[in-house]
Amino acid sequence: MTSHNQELFDASQKRIPGGVNSPVRAFRSVGGTPLFFKRGQGAYVWDADDKRYIDYVGSWGPMIAGHCHPEVVRAVQDAAAQGLGFGAPTASELEMAELLCKLLPSLEMVRLVSSGTEATMTAIRLARGYTGRSRIIKFEGCYHGHSDGLLVKAGSGALTFGQPSSSGVPAEIAKLTTVLDYNDAAGLERAFSEMGSEIAAVIVEPVAGNMNLIAPKREFLDALRNLCTRHGAVLILDEVMTGFRVSLQGAQGYYGIKPDLVTLGKVMGGGLPAAAFGGKKEIMQCLAPLGAVYQAGTLSGNPVAVAAGLATLKLVQEPGFYERLARLAKQLTEGLSMSAKKHGVAFCAQSVGGMFGLYFSDALPESYGEVMSCDKEAFNRFFHAMLGQDVYLAPSAFEAGFVSSAHTEADIEATIAAADKIFSAWK
Ligand SMILES: *Cc1c(COP(=O)(O)O)cnc(C)c1O
């Protein structure tokens, strides 16, 4: 039997580099042939061979209400029928801006863009324009989109300048980024004491979700806020993943930390390209046309994307939405951990709101180094075995997982049972 996934992948590789439009989709990390999806409904997706999977990727986060939620689909259809875009302001953008500012009290003003990458890239420029400084700090293993200054890894030595993590990023640009260890409050303090007056911004994922999942330590969050305040640097919480994912108030509400700027994406677009950055009015007013920091977008605030986002944000405001989402994620991680323990597999798991991390390791990782020392081969074996059991996890050991409100307790039980079968034969 020929696989349609394989045929599509073979043909795609001739016309699209690596056969994919975003690298992690290519299954390079786990090996094998990527699945081509043709349909999603609720918690399920169907591949090109019509095989159904329970989906824990959810388009990398946006599908928090499940695939094809009827209210989201209707909102998109209604908006499309009124015009796909105007390149001029619309009332729905105002509605989105007001809603975002209402839900996240740290936002006094917002601007809509089309991707998380745009949001973070512009937040950095804005912080530089506002402070008149050039240096930024990021943390190893955090991902903030693919703009030049953020595709940077730590240089050798404790406080040296960053180095490009991608070919094509000039070393001169990477040098302006200092890369520190996540959860290392003392390291951050040292960096500020050496060059506090040069630092325009610190950008951080308040729960790291792009190196599997790492929960922030309290002292780290407090150090971020206090040091930025003391040295006049802009604290940018990159909530592209965590916004409307870990709670209705994002990670900033979940942990009680007040950023100067926030970036949003994923859930706020409901599956379509909508993202945003916002924060203190004093900073946001530096943006063109009010101020001298330039930013623009032909598709920014696109009415169809905004409609999908508004419909999704309406669903997540229903009473009990996040309590149930967190309960499902916890049911999953506890069930998997118990099964692994029963069968003597070195595995653990945790969740924060509606996102979760799975680790082939004895203890929950708290740093990039600890995540990197998890057993990647074990994850890859587990990933493929779960695919065989009709469960679709993120195709990499270094990605967080997501549940949606369309998942049922029965879906979670079925997932745990599938893993139990695999763990029972683990060696
Ligand atoms: C996904 C993500 C981005 C990039 O968003 P895109 O829409 O893929 O450009 C930025 N920051 C974080 C934390 C993300 O998870």
Side-chain angles (χ1 to χ4, degrees):
M1 191 184 79
T2 63
S3 147
H4 294 290
N5 290 310
Q6 190 63 52
E7 285 171 5
L8 287 167
F9 190 47
D10 291 342
S12 293
Q13 285 172 288
K14 298 198 174 86
R15 290 297 180 204
I16 304 172
V20 293
N21 286 314
S22 196
V24 72
R25 298 178 193 173
F27 275 37
R28 286 288 168 99
S29 174
V30 291
T33 305
L35 303 183
F36 281 61
F37 289 115
K38 60 190 217 194
R39 189 162 83 80
Q41 184 63 58
Y44 310 117
V45 285
W46 283 262
D47 73 5
D49 293 311
D50 289 314
K51 194 173 164 206
R52 192 194 86 168
Y53 301 85
I54 304 176
D55 178 23
Y56 290 102
V57 180
S59 191
W60 300 95
M63 311 313 303
I64 200 165
H67 294 277
C68 288
H69 191 289
E71 283 169 40
V72 179
V73 172
R74 192 174 326 114
V76 166
Q77 288 170 335
D78 289 350
Q82 298 297 315
L84 294 178
F86 308 103
T90 57
S92 66
E93 289 160 81
L94 170 63
E95 190 183 342
M96 177 61 92
E98 287 181 339
L99 179 61
L100 294 177
C101 291
K102 185 184 103 182
L103 294 177
L104 302 176
S106 67
L107 301 182
E108 294 171 359
M109 299 183 104
V110 290
R111 180 158 283 175
L112 303 187
V113 290
S114 300
S115 72
T117 293
E118 265 185 279
T120 53
M121 177 182 82
T122 313
I124 298 282
R125 181 179 303 145
L126 182 57
R128 285 173 164 156
Y130 171 73
T131 57
R133 303 172 180 177
S134 299
R135 177 154 302 283
I136 59 170
I137 288 180
K138 79 177 283 287
F139 298 92
E140 192 88 278
C142 284
Y143 177 70
H144 306 289
H146 62 275
S147 67
D148 284 352
L150 293 166
L151 286 185
V152 177
K153 60 184 182 210
S156 49
L159 272 190
T160 46
F161 307 122
Q163 291 174 356
S165 63
S166 161
S167 171
V169 172
E172 293 85 344
I173 289 179
K175 267 190 190 147
L176 294 175
T177 305
T178 294
V179 183
L180 302 175
D181 266 337
Y182 194 80
N183 266 338
D184 180 6
L188 186 65
E189 175 115 41
R190 271 197 306 280
F192 267 102
S193 68
E194 292 209 2
M195 53 193 182
S197 63
E198 295 169 37
I199 297 168
V202 179
I203 185 166
V204 63
E205 288 182 69
V207 178
N210 286 284
M211 48 171 156
N212 204 327
L213 184 157
I214 296 190
K217 290 187 187 166
R218 183 76 249 168
E219 63 184 40
F220 179 61
L221 294 176
D222 291 341
L224 284 163
R225 180 62 280 169
N226 295 338
L227 288 164
C228 284
T229 301
R230 193 180 322 145
H231 293 272
V234 175
L235 176 58
I236 305 171
L237 285 192
D238 181 358
E239 295 232 48
V240 170
M241 183 184 288
T242 55
F244 310 113
R245 169 52 66 184
V246 302
S247 84
L248 185 58
Q249 289 79 32
Q252 54 195 279
Y254 192 95
Y255 293 104
I257 171 170
K258 198 170 182 323
D260 302 309
L261 288 179
V262 179
T263 53
L264 296 165
K266 298 197 167 103
V267 171
M268 73 151 280
L272 288 186
F277 62 95
K280 285 188 177 155
K281 199 168 166 178
E282 186 189 340
I283 305 176
M284 291 299 287
Q285 283 177 333
C286 295
L287 270 182
L290 292 180
V293 176
Y294 193 70
Q295 176 272 338
T298 303
L299 298 178
S300 290
N302 175 270
V304 182
V306 168
L310 283 172
T312 301
L313 293 182
K314 192 164 172 211
L315 295 170
V316 303
Q317 289 178 76
E318 285 171 7
F321 183 94
Y322 286 96
E323 287 78 358
R324 179 166 178 278
L325 200 69
R327 207 162 53 238
L328 288 170
K330 204 155 192 252
Q331 184 193 346
L332 177 66
T333 55
E334 288 185 349
L336 293 176
S337 302
M338 265 162 57
S339 164
K341 194 165 180 210
K342 185 173 77 187
H343 299 295
V345 180
F347 172 94
C348 55
Q350 69 180 331
S351 62
V352 181
M355 62 192 277
F356 64 85
L358 312 178
Y359 321 90
F360 282 85
S361 154
D362 287 319
L364 298 174
E366 295 185 338
S367 68
Y368 177 76
E370 287 176 14
V371 163
M372 288 300 132
S373 65
C374 292
D375 187 344
K376 182 170 172 284
E377 292 315 314
F379 174 82
N380 293 352
R381 262 204 293 152
F382 181 69
F383 169 82
H384 283 289
M386 289 295 269
L387 269 192
Q389 300 284 326
D390 307 334
V391 176
Y392 186 64
L393 298 169
S396 161
F398 306 114
E399 301 287 349
F402 305 103
V403 293
S404 78
S405 59
H407 286 78
T408 61
E409 290 179 9
D411 291 323
I412 306 289
E413 282 310 319
T415 305
I416 296 167
D420 194 66
K421 220 189 249 179
I422 295 162
F423 286 151
S424 73
W426 199 258
K427 28 144 226 25

